[in-house]
Amino acid sequence: MKPKVYITRRIPDSIIARIEKECEVSIWPETDIPVPREVLEREIVDADGLFCLLTESVDKELIAKAQKLKVISNMAVGYNNIDIEAAKEKGILVTNTPGVLTETTADLTFALMMASARRIIESSNYLRNGNWKTWSPMQLTGQDIYGATLGIIGMGRIGASLAKRSKGFDMNILYYNRSRKPLLEKEMNMKYVDFDTLLSESDFVCIMTPYTPETKNLITYRELSLMKKTSILINTARGGIVNEEDLFQALKNGEIWAAGMDVFVQEPVPLDHPLLTLPNVVTLPHIGSASVNTRMKMADLAAVNLLLVLNNNPPLHLVV
Ligand code: NAP
Ligand code: GLV
């Protein structure tokens, strides 16, 4: 008998076909509407494999309902949407999709740095709203990227790729990480500093850590007030790492100059969110890995991980 797999969103047909060759597949057919919790709760009961997205909360209660689940395959590198301990207790393997999205996410992070520093969205709106009357010496002036100091919090795969990009802009690189990376430090000519030094000396602070109990609210008003008044905060990691109320206050009070956000505590971010009222915040709908090629690779890798486990083989990327 073929194993049963539940896929929580419409993924590309070629990937569904690949899974269907070996499994009995049920799928939530929508592309832009997440699977309702009650459907997921029903489907997980007799599934052998779950192919899910970061939008699904695969928590203790959900995992408790699974009667024969062997694998939770997340189509994302971050896995903070999954209760890893609960899965481990039940002997369910959890897999993710690292690596294939690294460069694309680093590209987007750099794009956010540039858009925030050079006021790209604000300037485009300025023109479209009919405000462009003439060229003027200090009109829409921003901050320089070349030669600036880039502070990276979380020197993992994406952090290192971001550092690589910054070299082309003659940036100085500071980093703070859970563990030191001596080889990379040498290769990139970057400096390991303590957390507060990184905040106070950087022109750009980019967050590239996972979302964990240790990184929750890593950036609050205290940290923002240590930053330069001309500095820019970029978050393409996870929303909860930055305290959004504190960020709003810090931007209002001029503690920092701008912010670029691809991720939010609540996603989709509510349209009445205070941060959306500020012209110096560039906001994106969690599109870090969103290139056609990369999303295909992520879906493919998630399928490979799922099928390997269902065939009693080790997956390519095991979280636990
Ligand atoms: P990674 O290679 O695991 O890098 C994460 C880095 O963070 C590691 O170097 C790790 O340190 C460090 N770290 C973990 N906890 C820390 C802490 N408490 N303090 C300081 N450093 C800490 O992961 P990645 O592939 O670069 O991805 C990073 C995160 O980006 C993902 O978890 C995900 O949340 C986010 N992401 C977002 C998008 C998007 O669409 N916006 C796309 C992809 C990824 P060690 O080296 O000591 O382990
Ligand atoms: C996206 O946010 C990911 O973690 O892959």
Side-chain angles (χ1 to χ4, degrees):
M1 219 170 63
K2 284 181 170 181
K4 284 183 120 176
V5 165
Y6 190 64
I7 305 176
T8 62
R9 197 75 63 87
R10 182 98 210 156
I11 55 173
D13 286 346
S14 59
I15 312 287
I16 299 175
R18 181 172 184 167
I19 302 173
E20 274 176 338
K21 271 194 189 155
E22 299 181 39
C23 309
E24 192 187 310
V25 173
S26 303
I27 182 163
W28 174 248
E30 300 288 344
T31 47
D32 290 326
I33 303 171
V35 57
R37 176 74 182 197
E38 63 275 17
V39 175
L40 193 50
E41 286 182 355
R42 201 170 57 231
E43 293 288 349
I44 204 164
V45 174
D46 65 346
D48 298 285
L50 180 70
F51 181 121
C52 61
L53 312 184
L54 55 80
T55 45
E56 276 76 67
S57 173
V58 185
D59 53 26
K60 203 180 169 85
E61 291 68 37
L62 187 73
I63 290 172
K65 293 188 187 297
Q67 289 178 4
K68 51 188 186 110
L69 197 65
K70 286 174 77 175
V71 55
I72 300 167
S73 176
N74 211 30
M75 188 186 141
V77 63
Y79 48 83
N80 52 288
N81 56 312
I82 301 169
D83 188 328
I84 299 299
E85 283 310 310
K88 201 170 164 183
E89 265 173 37
K90 287 192 80 169
I92 300 166
L93 301 192
V94 177
T95 66
N96 67 343
T97 61
V100 292
L101 45 55
T102 297
E103 301 298 341
T104 302
T105 309
D107 281 350
L108 192 276
T109 308
F110 215 89
L112 258 183
M113 283 166 58
M114 298 191 74
S116 315
R118 295 302 304 274
R119 304 171 65 175
I120 301 290
I121 310 294
E122 194 186 346
S123 297
S124 177
N125 290 338
Y126 181 85
L127 178 155
R128 285 166 185 244
N129 293 335
N131 295 321
W132 188 23
K133 306 294 182 212
T134 181
W135 188 94
S136 157
M138 298 308 284
Q139 182 185 63
L140 291 165
T141 45
Q143 303 293 336
D144 280 322
I145 299 135
Y146 80 91
T149 296
L150 168 62
I152 302 176
I153 301 175
M155 189 49 72
R157 287 170 291 247
I158 303 171
S161 281
L162 188 61
K164 205 166 61 187
R165 279 158 183 72
S166 71
K167 286 294 176 192
F169 285 75
D170 284 340
M171 298 182 89
N172 308 308
I173 313 167
L174 304 178
Y175 83 100
Y176 169 77
N177 194 57
R178 191 168 49 181
S179 56
R180 257 183 100 153
K181 312 272 171 170
L183 286 179
L184 203 58
E185 264 175 48
K186 236 177 149 181
E187 187 190 330
M188 297 283 175
N189 188 26
M190 59 187 186
K191 195 168 156 202
Y192 181 81
V193 289
D194 65 49
F195 188 53
D196 286 2
T197 303
L198 181 140
L199 294 167
S200 61
E201 292 188 2
S202 299
D203 298 304
F204 293 85
V205 172
C206 292
I207 303 161
M208 277 329 326
T209 65
Y211 181 56
T212 63
E214 293 76 44
T215 62
K216 183 176 179 184
N217 280 324
L218 188 67
I219 304 292
T220 65
Y221 202 92
R222 184 198 85 89
E223 286 70 35
L224 294 160
S225 62
L226 288 178
M227 289 171 61
K228 297 180 188 176
K229 305 266 185 251
T230 51
S231 69
I232 296 170
L233 180 78
I234 303 292
N235 187 8
T236 46
R238 282 291 183 271
I241 300 173
V242 176
N243 182 304
E244 289 172 352
E245 267 172 42
D246 287 6
L247 176 61
F248 175 74
Q249 287 308 330
L251 285 158
K252 284 285 272 186
N253 298 343
E255 298 287 0
I256 66 170
W257 198 76
M261 317 284 288
D262 185 43
V263 287
F264 297 87
V265 171
Q266 188 187 332
E267 296 184 0
V269 63
L271 287 179
D272 61 355
H273 194 294
L275 283 174
L276 302 192
T277 63
L278 301 177
N280 53 343
V281 184
V282 178
T283 49
L284 298 177
H286 203 146
I287 57 163
S289 64
S291 75
V292 178
N293 282 340
T294 292
R295 286 287 168 84
M296 285 303 292
K297 285 182 192 165
M298 289 165 67
D300 188 63
L301 182 51
V304 169
N305 282 330
L306 178 98
L307 293 173
L308 280 169
V309 177
L310 293 178
N311 284 308
N312 300 314
N313 292 310
L316 295 181
H317 297 288
L318 181 66
V319 175
V320 286

